[in-house]
Amino acid sequence: MRNLAHHILPTSATMLGVCMTVIPIIKLMKVGHIGTMIDELLADDSVIFLISAVLSYLSIRRPSWGRLERHADIAFVFGLCGMSVCAVLLSFELL
């Protein structure tokens, strides 16, 4: 599991950028009352992906802190689950 952090770091940084890009797009679309909830969930996801990126970076810099890589992986999975919930909510709102 030692090389997992090398994959989590760039991917979580990319997902952070995706979250920060989608928030203003949803505001411009004027999705409705659920848009505010999706914005808040995506903002929370941004923080989760930031935590994942920081933890994976620290596990790369300090290999003796092996638990950080596992925590980065868990945070990344939670962030993906949050984005999936946002995608489902947005798709049902746009129907």
Side-chain angles (χ1 to χ4, degrees), residues 48-67:
I48 291 171
F49 284 125
L50 177 63
I51 290 169
S52 176
V54 168
L55 290 174
S56 62
Y57 174 77
L58 289 174
S59 75
I60 292 169
R61 296 290 293 168
R62 303 280 185 207
S64 61
W65 297 353
R67 291 185 304 176

Side-chain angles (χ1 to χ4, degrees), residues 62-74:
R62 303 280 185 207
S64 61
W65 297 353
R67 291 185 304 176
L68 291 180
E69 185 175 48
R70 184 163 190 263
H71 293 301
D73 186 32
I74 291 169

